[in-house]
Amino acid sequence: MNDGTRRQRRGDTRRRVQETALALFSEQGYERTSLREIAEALDVTKAALYYHFRAKEDILISLFEDLTRPIDELVEWARRQPPSLETKQEFLLRYSRALTDAAPLIRFMQENQATVRELRIGGMFKDRVTALMDVLQEPGASLPDRVRCVSALITMHLGLLALKEAEGDPESKHRAVLTVATELIAQAHGASAPPCPADPPETAERPPREPLTS
């Protein structure tokens, strides 16, 4: 077996551990899930699981880092663009796509807020939210406009969770959430509400758009 094949197998096992652990964390709670249960669900020994992760929190942090990496890249993209309303609306559109893959983790964090606050991932999430708000808010924004920006972000994070049992197909729900968030950002920048976004998020992976400016 060559090095490339070994790395691929380690990566596949790592993803299996992450997916299985998150499913168990979501189903029975983080505190009530042990490494032994994760190993049994994977049909591997606890020692084999230790090869990839030494603790439950390590699994959770690896999930957070992997799933939020596209969001970190998006924040860096936005910082290189002019701080215009157009940039912020494009940012929200791209962010809605990035959230699709991260939705299971965000759902877990929402349902286990007390636990998350006590873990390192709580501080990591707070740092990400601060970076997102720096992109969306205008310097010196009034308190009502700051509230609108916060509300736009909350809408993006929790809108789909709240609409999970509502009637309608997933694409329509994504479009509705994105429309409301975009309207709030427009209002925070003293602009009229934009039309409904014409490019809803897709479940299939797709390359990022070309930057607004070079």
Side-chain angles (χ1 to χ4, degrees):
M1 184 184 301
N2 58 40
D3 290 343
T5 302
R6 289 193 185 93
R7 284 194 297 270
Q8 181 178 350
R9 290 188 61 178
R10 284 198 295 269
D12 292 343
T13 301
R14 185 174 184 271
R15 282 190 292 274
R16 286 182 58 223
V17 172
Q18 290 174 325
E19 292 168 359
T20 301
L22 183 57
L24 288 172
F25 293 159
S26 299
E27 179 182 345
Q28 57 192 37
Y30 177 84
E31 298 291 350
R32 291 189 294 274
T33 302
S34 67
L35 281 176
R36 177 183 55 78
E37 289 175 299
I38 296 171
E40 289 176 352
L42 288 162
D43 196 23
V44 300
T45 66
K46 193 173 179 180
L49 184 58
Y50 273 166
Y51 178 81
H52 296 277
F53 300 101
R54 302 295 298 180
K56 290 190 302 181
E57 188 172 4
D58 293 339
I59 302 175
L60 201 56
I61 288 174
S62 73
L63 267 165
F64 184 85
E65 290 176 341
D66 288 354
L67 293 177
T68 60
R69 189 170 296 113
I71 295 173
D72 292 340
E73 293 170 355
L74 179 57
V75 168
E76 290 305 312
W77 168 83
R79 287 170 174 167
R80 296 193 299 268
Q81 310 308 313
S84 64
L85 177 58
E86 182 185 16
T87 293
K88 298 175 195 300
Q89 291 171 341
E90 176 68 13
F91 175 85
L92 285 179
L93 178 59
R94 298 188 186 196
Y95 187 52
S96 69
R97 297 190 197 121
L99 282 177
T100 300
D101 290 337
L105 179 62
I106 292 175
R107 184 177 299 111
F108 161 78
M109 294 177 67
Q110 170 64 17
E111 294 173 350
N112 296 268
Q113 293 183 50
T115 297
V116 167
R117 279 195 295 269
E118 299 300 321
L119 300 172
R120 281 181 291 161
I121 193 175
M124 296 167 69
F125 182 72
K126 183 178 180 180
D127 290 342
R128 295 306 194 287
V129 170
T130 299
L132 293 169
M133 291 307 303
D134 287 344
V135 169
L136 292 175
Q137 285 184 163
E138 287 286 283
S142 67
L143 185 56
D145 285 340
R146 288 166 59 191
V147 171
R148 290 183 179 101
C149 290
V150 170
S151 299
L153 200 56
I154 292 174
T155 297
M156 297 292 288
H157 287 176
L158 303 183
L160 290 179
L161 300 184
L163 293 175
K164 183 179 179 182
E165 304 301 329
E167 293 185 4
D169 60 275
E171 183 176 298
S172 296
K173 294 177 184 179
H174 273 100
R175 181 188 286 270
V177 168
L178 182 58
T179 295
V180 172
T182 305
E183 288 174 349
L184 286 166
I185 291 299
Q187 292 166 10
H189 289 73
S192 58
C196 182
D199 186 10
E202 299 175 0
T203 55
E205 185 176 352
R206 57 182 292 179
R209 289 186 172 189
E210 290 299 317
L212 297 180
T213 61
S214 58

